[in-house]
Every structure is written in C-alpha cells, then in structure tokens.
C-alpha cells in the first residue's frame, strides 16, 4: 500500500520506535529522529534497542522496504507532513514532570518549519501534563519558526496507550484514538491519517481539547493503577479471613460488566516506567492547580506498602533472615520485558538484604539490567532451578510463564527449606500445601 503521507517521529525510545515502525509497516514514509548515536546505530543495524515482541522483525522489514530510516538530522523534518513528538517525560526529584526533551523536540521541529514544503501538523504523543501543548510546545514552535499555530502549521495532542511488551500490537490495534486541538483542520488531518492507517475499520476516535486529551492519558493510567491497588487492598483484607481467596473475589467482581476482569490480579504491586512517574506527576500537577488528589495518593501509598509483603511473609516463616538464602524468581517489572524501571523486585530484594538474607535471583530477560541495579550485592542464577537450590525461601516477584510451569516437587526437592511466597498468585495453593510446602500467597486467607 503506497501512502501520500510523510511522517517524522522525534524520539526513538520504546514508544517512538514502535509507533514509527508500525506507521512504516502500513506503507507510510517515516523518518525517525533521535540524537542518541548508539541507539541510531543499533536501529540502522536492524536491531531494536529494546526487548519488545515483533519489533526486530518489523524493523528489518521496514528498513528493507525503505519506508523507514533513522537519523539525527532534524532538518529532514522539513519534508514531512506530520511531526510526532514521542520523547520521554521523566519525573523531576519532587515528582513533577520534566519537559526538557519535549522542549528540545519542539525547538528542532520549529527550526525546520521554515523550510517545510507543506503546512505541517505537529503531534504531541509524549505523556504531558494538561496545558503543555498550549503553554509550552506552541510558544516554542512559534518562537523558533516565526510562524503561527493554527494558521501556518497545526498542533494536536494525541496521547499514546502502548503497553510495554505489547507495544507493537497496541500501535496496530488501539482501543481508541484521542485527538485534542484548538483547530478543526488539525483534527481533521490527524483523523484522516489514522483512518488510512486503520482501514477498513478504525477504532473510536475522540475529538476534544488539548487539555482533555492530555488529562485522559493520566486519568487512564491512574485508573488502571487504582484497580491494581484496589484489588491489593482487598487481598490484604482477605488474608485475615479463613478460607478467603482474592482470586475468587477478583473473578466475582470482574464479572460485573461495570468493573471488568482486567487489572484485578493481586500481587506485590505495580511498577514500570509509566505508572509511578505518571501518578506522581498527576499528584504534583493537581496540587499545584489547587486540589489534593487524596484517592490517587492512597493508590500510590497502598502500592508502596504492598512490596513489603514479601518480607513480612519471609519473617513469619523464618523468624530471622540472618544467613538465610532467599531465591527471587522474576526481576523485570512485568513479564515479557527486560525493563527494571521501578520494578517491585527492587524494594523486595532491598528489604530482604537489609534483614541479613543473601539473595539469588533469576529472570528470563532482565538479568543484565538487574546487574546495573544490584551489582554484586546479590547472586544471579542461570535458570530457575539453580536459583532455588538450597534456598530457605523463594519469592515469586514476576509472573513469567516458565515459573508457572514449575511443579511443587521441584521446590520440595531443591530448597533447603520449602517455603514459597507466591507474590503474583501463579500457583494452586492446595497443590503446594498438600506436599508439605509452607506456602504464602498474596490475598490468601488461612485454611482453618
Ligand atoms: C501502562 C499502561 O497499561 C499503558 O496503557 C500505557 O500506555 C503505559 O503504561 C504508558 O503510560 O506508557 P505498562 O507500564 O507497559 O503500560 O504496564 P502495564 O501492563 O499497564 O502494567 C503496569 C504494572 O501493573 C506492572 O507492574 C504490572 O505487573 C502491574 N499489574 C498489572 C498488576 O500488578 N496487576 C494487574 O492486574 C495488572
């Protein structure tokens, strides 16, 4: 399929690269722009710098088809019809959003707008607090180009909802598309682009203001994090009730169409590059705007205390952790990624180390990244069997499929003391208890 559209994507992080490659796979002519030379080198060698299912394969295809190229030369943007900003928006120390990369991207785009052949549409895809497109991006673009938004070029807010580990799928099959702008012509152009990409059936497209589009992204992530903290709160109640099990409770409430079954898996808490940063940014933004968002603060606080559960269970089972070996299965913040950012494994392992335990960990994808976090304060196993060898307790921190397949007898035979703490509810408690394993699980009440 040949397309008339030419696209620039500023920022080839996980979101930008997945977005760029999926546009290119649809036949659009895409240039990815990023100043990071080592990142560019890997991409040009047709290797995705991130562990993301299908990304390598798609990258190879679009480079071969010449629908995608990566460069640090931002002047190439002059040839594009659309300039997407997909740079990261990390947290400052006090939790507020850091817009430095967004401003840099806006400067580069503004600097190339004078040479642009057509009236370009600038699209802010990065997660930014309400008012950023209007009060930060627009003035920078106008100052750099000497042109006027809404007349000489267009500006839209278009948040992304890609999950790590399924970013390529999500980019191709979004639940909905949100477009915010002041001018109807910008909205019409971006809608036309998405209708072409998602032909024949586009998902629902919500057209709204910049500020609504920006807040939708935060409200979305905060709601999902709230669902997880909510079920973790119910799990903590269930642990005090004989014969109660949060899994059955989650199933029961998830069958209510108004609630739905997703994001109700109780565990040691949520992490990653998005929820922690976005909830903190939303809280900081809201307070500055004059409202203390107590509900969202509680969501964060429940999550902070949830990671302590692993230590509490280990202490209950062993009394003291001095000179005990703890095995950790799973380090990444969730399965199918090597991402250690704000991973729950970090507070879990640090709490065990602080109590004198020695820790050996295994993860199918995140060992190298974990080394950067823990260095040689912990041991790294080559596989899950080696990890639990002679351990006094084992904590399941990330629910990788290969851990789900482990049998109770494997733990029984290899561990020094068969104590299993199921921090992600992947095992059938009865099977473990039946063979004499001391079994703890988030949200499982006592069986008496
Ligand atoms: C999240 C959102 O799901 C995406 O829609 C959004 O685009 C992205 O943030 C972003 O802002 O860029 P992601 O961070 O990849 O995506 O991870 P999720 O799959 O949402 O999981 C977040 C955390 O919640 C993980 O630590 C996961 O283990 C935890 N979780 C999730 C639970 O503990 N229980 C659940 O039932 C679901």
């Amino acid at each position: 399929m040949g397309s008339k559209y030419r696209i620039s994507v500023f920022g080839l992080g996980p979101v930008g690269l997945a977005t760029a490659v999926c546009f290119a796979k649809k036949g659009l002519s895409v240039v990815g722009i990023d100043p990071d030379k080592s990142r560019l080198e890997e991409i040009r060698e047709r290797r995705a710098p991130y562990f993301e299912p299908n990304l390598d394969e798609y990258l190879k295809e679009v480079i071969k088809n010449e629908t995608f190229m990566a460069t640090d030369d931002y002047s190439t943007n002059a040839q594009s019809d659309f300039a997407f900003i997909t740079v990261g928006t990390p947290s400052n120390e006090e939790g507020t959003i850091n817009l430095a990369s967004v401003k840099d991207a806006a400067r580069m785009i503004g600097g190339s707008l004078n040479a642009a052949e057509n009236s370009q549409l600038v699209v802010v895809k990065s997660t930014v607090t309400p008012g950023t497109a209007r009060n930060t991006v627009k003035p920078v673009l106008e100052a750099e180009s000497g042109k006027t938004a809404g007349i000489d070029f267009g500006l839209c807010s278009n948040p992304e909802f890609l999950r790590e580990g399924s970013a390529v799928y999500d980019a191709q099959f979004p639940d909905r598309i949100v477009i915010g702008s002041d001018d109807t012509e910008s909205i019409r152009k971006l809608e036309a682009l998405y209708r072409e990409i998602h032909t024949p059936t586009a998902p629902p497209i919500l057209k709204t203001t910049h500020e609504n589009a920006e807040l939708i992204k935060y409200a979305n992530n905060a709601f999902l994090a709230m669902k997880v903290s909510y079920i973790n709160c119910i799990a903590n109640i269930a642990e005090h009730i004989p014969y109660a099990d949060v899994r059955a409770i989650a199933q029961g409430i998830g069958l209510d169409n108004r609630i739905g079954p997703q994001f109700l898996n109780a565990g040691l808490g949520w992490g990653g590059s998005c929820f922690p940063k976005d909830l903190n940014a939303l809280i900081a933004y809201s307070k500055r705007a004059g409202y203390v968002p107590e509900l969202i603060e509680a969501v964060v606080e429940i999550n902070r205390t949830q990671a302590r559960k692993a230590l509490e269970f280990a202490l209950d089972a062993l009394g003291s952790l001095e000179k005990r070996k703890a095995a950790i299965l799973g380090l990444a913040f969730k399965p199918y990624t090597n991402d250690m950012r704000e991973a729950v494994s970090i507070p879990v392992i640090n709490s065990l180390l602080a109590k004198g335990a020695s820790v050996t960990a295994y993860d199918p994808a995140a060992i190298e990244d974990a080394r950067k976090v823990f260095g040689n304060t912990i041991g790294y196993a080559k596989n899950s069997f080696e990890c639990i060898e002679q351990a006094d307790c084992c904590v399941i921190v990330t629910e990788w499929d290969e851990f789900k397949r482990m049998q109770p007898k494997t733990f029984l035979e290899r561990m020094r003391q068969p104590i299993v703490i199921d921090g992600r509810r992947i095992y059938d408690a009865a099977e473990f208890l039946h063979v004499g394993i001391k079994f703890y699980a988030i949200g499982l009440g006592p069986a008496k």
Side-chain angles (χ1 to χ4, degrees):
M1 173 180 105
S3 168
K4 57 185 186 298
Y5 295 125
R6 287 165 305 178
I7 314 267
S8 303
V9 176
F10 282 78
L12 296 176
V15 168
L17 188 60
T19 305
V21 163
C22 289
F23 282 161
K25 182 138 163 70
K26 292 284 181 182
L28 277 65
S29 172
V30 183
V31 52
I33 298 162
D34 196 296
D36 183 332
K37 294 214 183 311
S38 71
R39 188 183 272 179
L40 285 177
E41 206 168 298
E42 278 195 68
I43 293 171
R44 286 183 192 135
E45 282 168 11
R46 307 178 186 205
R47 272 196 327 265
Y50 330 98
F51 180 87
E52 187 66 59
N54 298 323
L55 191 53
D56 263 349
E57 185 192 320
Y58 277 35
L59 188 60
K60 285 188 180 80
E61 185 183 325
V62 295
I63 291 180
K64 184 165 165 259
N65 294 346
E66 297 181 350
T67 50
F68 173 74
M69 63 165 274
T71 177
D72 55 1
D73 176 6
Y74 69 84
S75 69
T76 52
N77 178 53
Q79 277 95 55
S80 290
D81 306 298
F82 295 86
F84 283 80
I85 299 178
T86 57
V87 294
T89 50
S91 288
N92 291 317
E93 258 178 28
E94 68 285 7
T96 54
I97 189 169
N98 182 330
L99 291 172
S101 299
V102 171
K103 288 180 194 162
D104 284 346
R107 263 182 229 113
M108 287 189 254
I109 295 170
S112 61
L113 276 180
N114 275 323
E117 293 159 12
N118 305 319
S119 160
Q120 198 171 87
L121 181 60
V122 182
V123 183
V124 183
K125 229 180 202 326
S126 302
T127 299
V128 292
T129 42
T132 301
R134 185 184 307 281
N135 303 322
T136 302
V137 177
K138 185 170 140 186
V140 172
L141 290 169
E142 290 183 336
E144 291 293 321
S145 64
K147 294 187 169 189
T148 308
I151 296 172
D152 305 311
F153 66 92
L155 178 62
C156 282
S157 297
N158 172 224
E160 57 83 20
F161 302 98
L162 310 184
R163 293 162 296 176
E164 274 187 50
S166 29
V168 170
Y169 176 89
D170 291 345
Q172 295 175 99
F173 304 103
D175 290 344
R176 70 340 201 155
I177 290 164
V178 176
I179 304 176
S181 186
D182 283 344
D183 68 290
T184 47
E185 178 55 15
S186 292
I187 292 181
R188 190 199 62 72
K189 271 191 183 169
L190 191 55
E191 181 179 4
L193 174 74
Y194 278 122
R195 290 208 180 277
E196 174 172 323
I197 290 170
H198 299 292
T199 191
T201 316
I205 298 180
L206 179 80
K207 296 165 238 172
T208 185
T209 63
H210 281 295
E211 286 74 11
N212 286 340
E214 291 164 328
L215 189 52
I216 283 169
K217 167 66 193 224
Y218 284 98
N220 207 91
N221 272 358
F223 190 89
L224 293 172
M226 179 185 74
K227 259 187 122 175
V228 179
S229 282
Y230 174 79
I231 201 64
N232 286 341
C233 170
I234 299 295
N236 295 340
I237 299 172
E239 281 167 30
H240 294 279
I241 307 170
Y243 311 112
D245 184 347
V246 74
R247 283 208 302 198
I249 299 162
Q251 204 182 356
I253 63 175
L255 286 167
D256 185 325
N257 284 333
R258 293 167 302 175
I259 296 174
Q262 294 192 60
F263 277 69
L264 288 180
N265 296 323
L268 288 167
W270 42 263
S273 61
C274 304
F275 283 7
K277 136 183 114 63
D278 289 353
L279 269 72
N280 284 333
L282 181 56
I283 291 168
Y285 174 84
S286 177
K287 284 181 174 169
R288 280 190 179 182
Y291 173 69
V292 179
E294 289 176 356
L295 175 60
I296 300 166
E297 287 183 326
V299 169
V300 172
E301 180 57 16
I302 289 173
N303 198 55
R304 194 180 64 76
T305 53
Q306 194 65 11
R308 287 196 207 143
K309 303 288 307 247
L311 176 67
E312 285 167 19
F313 287 145
L315 285 174
D316 184 77
L318 290 162
S320 161
L321 298 184
E322 283 296 334
K323 300 202 168 60
R324 307 288 188 168
K325 176 185 166 185
I328 299 293
L329 290 180
L331 292 161
F333 87 93
K334 68 173 186 178
Y336 311 109
T337 173
N338 59 346
D339 199 336
M340 284 294 297
R341 282 176 290 178
E342 302 284 335
V344 167
S345 61
I346 300 171
V348 166
I349 289 175
N350 285 339
S351 69
L352 295 167
L353 290 173
K355 290 287 177 193
S358 71
V359 171
T360 300
Y362 170 68
D363 187 285
I367 294 283
E368 286 319 310
D369 298 76
R371 274 186 211 280
K372 293 176 199 147
V373 178
F374 300 111
N376 56 11
T377 60
I378 67 170
Y380 303 92
K382 290 193 191 66
N383 54 52
S384 42
F385 301 103
E386 185 186 302
C387 184
I388 63 172
E389 203 67 55
Q390 290 303 305
D392 297 294
C393 69
C394 171
V395 189
I396 311 297
V397 180
T398 315
E399 66 276 32
W400 285 94
D401 282 342
E402 62 177 84
F403 304 153
K404 294 182 186 166
R405 290 192 291 269
M406 287 172 76
Q407 296 300 313
K409 76 170 183 2
T410 309
F411 292 94
L412 203 57
E413 286 167 6
R414 290 175 182 257
M415 294 179 72
R416 184 157 48 208
Q417 301 193 63
I419 297 167
V420 174
I421 298 167
D422 185 352
R424 292 293 170 189
R425 298 307 312 270
I426 63 173
Y427 296 127
D428 181 340
E431 284 179 14
F432 279 66
L433 293 168
H434 178 70
V435 297
I437 291 174
K438 202 163 187 183
F439 187 78
Y440 291 81
I442 299 289
L444 187 66
K448 62 171 166 54

